[in-house]
Amino acid sequence: MSRILVVGNATLDIINVVEQYPQEDQEVRAQAQHINRGGNAANTAVVLAQLGHRCSWAGTLAKEADGILIREDLQQHSVDLDAVHTVSTGKVPTSYISLSRENGSRTIVHYRDLPEYPAEQFIRIPLDEFDWLHFEGRNLEEIAKMMRHARQVAANTPVSLEAEKVRAGIEKLFPLADVVMFSSDYAKHRGATSAKEFLQQFGTQQPDARLTCTWGEEGAYGLERDGRLLHAPASAPAEVVDTLGAGDVFNAGLIDQLVRGEQLDVALNGASALAGKKCGVYGLDNLV
Ligand code: ADP
Ligand code: FRU
C-alpha cells in the first residue's frame, strides 16, 4: 500500500443510457439514468483506493447539495479529503453524458462555474507523507506552481501528469513530471494519427520523462527514457458497455504498477487490462 495524492477535478455526472447516440434536434427516451461522482482526478483516486492505496484527493468542492454528494461518495470510497478546498459560492462542474448501448461510447457536454484548486492551498499539504503525486493537466499556471513546489520539498517523490485536453501552454508542465500520460485527443491535436507515431515524434523532445499514450481499442503505447517504444494491446471485454472513465482507470492502473516498482512495460499491460475490464462493466466500482 502506498500513499498517493491526486490533484484535479471532481464532477457531477448525469448519465443517460441511450439505445444509440441521438441525432441533433431529435428527442429520444433514455433507458436508464445514473447520477454519479465523476471527474478525471476523482475517478483515478477512487480506483487507486480500490487497488489498496491510501489515496488523497486535492480539488475544489462547493458547499451545495451536489458538492455534498461528491464529498460523501469519495468518503465512501475511502478517499482522504483533508486537502479539499471548499468554497461557499458556485456549483460543482456538471457533465451531461449520453452513454450509447450500441457501442459503449460516451458523449459529454460539460459545464463549469467553480474556482480551480489554488496553489496556495496545495503548499499546505505535507507532501513528505506521499509516495506518488499525480496532477491533472488543467489550470496550468497554478498547477505549474504546485509541481515546482513539489520538486522543491519532495524532490524524490515521483510525479505524474495527465495531458488529456489540449490547453495552451500545457507543454510547460512536461519537464516537471517523471511520467506524462497523454490522451489520443492530445496526440491528434499535435497532428499524430496513432499513439506510436505521436510518441516517436514527440518523445525526442521530452527525454527526461516516461511517456504513455492511450488509443481506445488499440490499447496503449509507452516510451521509456532510453527511447524504447512499448505497446500494450487493449484487453477486450466480452461486451463493451461503458467506456466513460476508461482513461482515468488506465491512469490509476499505471500509477498502481509504477509505485509498486514495476517496469513500464508491465505497468502498461496491467493498466490496459484494468481499463479493458472497466469497459465491460458500468461505472468504476468492483474493478478489483
Ligand atoms: P479516454 O477515456 O481518455 O478516452 P481511451 O479511450 O484512450 O481513454 O481508453 C483508455 C484505455 O482504455 C485504452 O488504452 C485501452 O486500454 C482501454 N480501452 C478503451 N476502449 C476500449 C475498448 N473498446 N476495449 C478495450 N479496452 C479499451
Ligand atoms: C471521465 C470524466 C467524467 C467527467 C468528464 C470530465 O473521464 O472524468 O467523469 O464528467 O470526464 O471531463
Side-chain angles (χ1 to χ4, degrees), residues 9 11-13 37-41 43 94-95 97 106 108 110 164-165 244-248:
N9 222 6
T11 61
L12 185 80
D13 286 358
R37 165 232 73 243
N40 293 14
N43 286 343
T94 315
S95 291
I97 300 169
R106 85 297 182 268
I108 305 176
H110 186 67
E164 189 205 40
K165 297 188 178 70
L244 179 65
D248 309 335

Side-chain angles (χ1 to χ4, degrees), residues 184-286:
S184 56
D185 269 2
Y186 183 87
K188 284 174 194 162
H189 174 78
R190 300 290 299 240
T193 54
S194 69
K196 186 176 172 182
E197 181 191 330
F198 171 70
L199 291 181
Q200 279 172 333
Q201 285 173 5
F202 190 69
T204 51
Q205 298 165 33
Q206 295 299 327
D208 293 338
R210 294 161 129 184
L211 310 180
T212 65
C213 183
T214 58
W215 213 276
E217 288 166 52
E218 291 176 35
Y221 279 79
L223 192 72
E224 262 296 3
R225 288 193 183 91
D226 62 9
R228 261 179 313 133
L229 186 73
L230 309 164
H231 178 225
S235 166
E239 189 190 357
V240 175
V241 297
D242 175 14
T243 59
L244 179 65
D248 309 335
V249 174
F250 177 91
N251 291 346
L254 194 78
I255 295 168
D256 170 58
Q257 298 275 331
L258 293 176
V259 78
R260 290 175 198 274
E262 294 295 354
Q263 294 301 309
L264 188 58
D265 56 342
V266 175
L268 274 181
N269 278 295
S272 182
L274 191 68
K277 185 173 179 186
K278 187 269 143 313
C279 294
V281 296
Y282 285 105
L284 301 188
D285 289 338
N286 308 313

Side-chain angles (χ1 to χ4, degrees), residues 1-4 52-55 129 131-132 256 259-260:
M1 182 207 65
S2 298
R3 286 285 278 125
I4 301 172
H53 300 290
R54 278 184 62 208
C55 201
E129 291 179 4
D131 304 303
W132 192 284
D256 170 58
V259 78
R260 290 175 198 274

Side-chain angles (χ1 to χ4, degrees), residues 82-86 117-125:
D82 282 356
V84 168
H85 177 56
T86 307
Y117 191 69
E120 200 179 50
Q121 175 116 9
F122 179 82
I123 59 177
R124 292 193 218 122
I125 303 172

